Amino acid sequence: MSKLQNPVQMAVIGAAHGIKGELRVKTFTGEPLALADYGPLYARDGRAFQIIDIRPANTVVVVRFKGIADRNAAEALAGTELFVDRSMLPDDGEEDEFYHADLVGLEVRDDTGAALGKVVAVHNFGGGDILDVTLARRKGVLIPFTQAAVPDVSIAEGFVRVDPVAAGLVEDGDGAAPRDEDFDPKGRPRGPRDAGGNR
C-alpha cells in the first residue's frame, strides 16, 4: 500500500449486486454513507477506487465505483479491503476516545509499569471492544477494553496500562479467575472510535 503512510481500513468489498457493476460494501464508518466523503479509497496493492454512487441496503451499502461497469469486474473485487490514510480522519473526538488504528502497536504495561506485550488488533464481536494482545509468555490474549481492565491509554507515549486482575491475566484475591459476567463493556467511559469517528 505504497500510497498511504498510515492506512486505516474504512470498508471491505463484498458480493456483486446486480449486473451493472455495483457491489455490496461493509463500511467501518459511523455513518455508512460517509464512506464517500473521504475521497479515493485504496486497496492494499495501491489500486485507487473512486465512489460515483452509494446507497444504503440493510446492513451494508451498495456502491458503484468508477471503471467497474459489469458483474464480472465487480465479482473480481470481492474481499478487497479499502483504506484511507490516517491523516484524512478527524481528530476532534472526546479525550477518552481512540481510533482502533491508534491502539494497534501500543505497548501493554501492567500496573507496575512493566512491559507485558503489544496490542495487535482491536475486535468487537457484539459485546464491546476487545484488545487482542500478544504477550511475551503467551501466544495471545483478549482483554476487554473497559475502564477497569485498561485504566490508562497514552497514544503519545505509546502504551496502554492494564489491571492484570480486571483484564483476566491473573487470578483475583479470592483465588478465582475473573468471569466474563464480571465485565461490563457498557460501563466504560471511553472506547475506540470507528473510522468515522464514532464509538
Side-chain angles (χ1 to χ4, degrees), residues 105-165:
L106 294 183
E107 183 177 70
V108 177
R109 301 178 183 173
D110 66 14
D111 47 4
T112 68
L116 300 176
K118 285 195 179 296
V119 178
V120 295
V122 181
H123 306 291
N124 190 320
F125 303 112
D129 295 305
I130 298 171
L131 301 183
D132 189 343
V133 175
T134 297
L135 301 179
R137 290 185 292 267
R138 302 186 200 181
K139 215 170 188 182
V141 297
L142 299 177
I143 296 175
F145 192 61
T146 63
Q147 181 67 37
V150 189
D152 293 315
V153 176
S154 177
I155 302 296
E157 296 180 45
F159 76 91
V160 296
R161 183 173 63 82
V162 301
D163 178 311
V165 173

Side-chain angles (χ1 to χ4, degrees), residues 18 88 96 100 103 141 144 146 150 179:
M88 298 295 294
D96 287 330
H100 289 190
L103 296 170
V141 297
T146 63
V150 189
R179 301 164 301 163

Side-chain angles (χ1 to χ4, degrees), residues 13 29 31 34 42 46 48 63 69 97 109 113 124 137:
I13 297 175
T29 55
E31 167 54 50
Y42 295 90
V63 174
E97 291 181 338
R109 301 178 183 173
N124 190 320
R137 290 185 292 267

Side-chain angles (χ1 to χ4, degrees), residues 180-199:
D180 289 342
E181 55 267 30
D182 294 333
F183 300 119
D184 179 15
K186 295 180 181 174
R188 70 190 186 284
R190 51 129 164 88
R193 287 187 285 164
D194 59 27
N198 297 303
R199 282 197 280 185

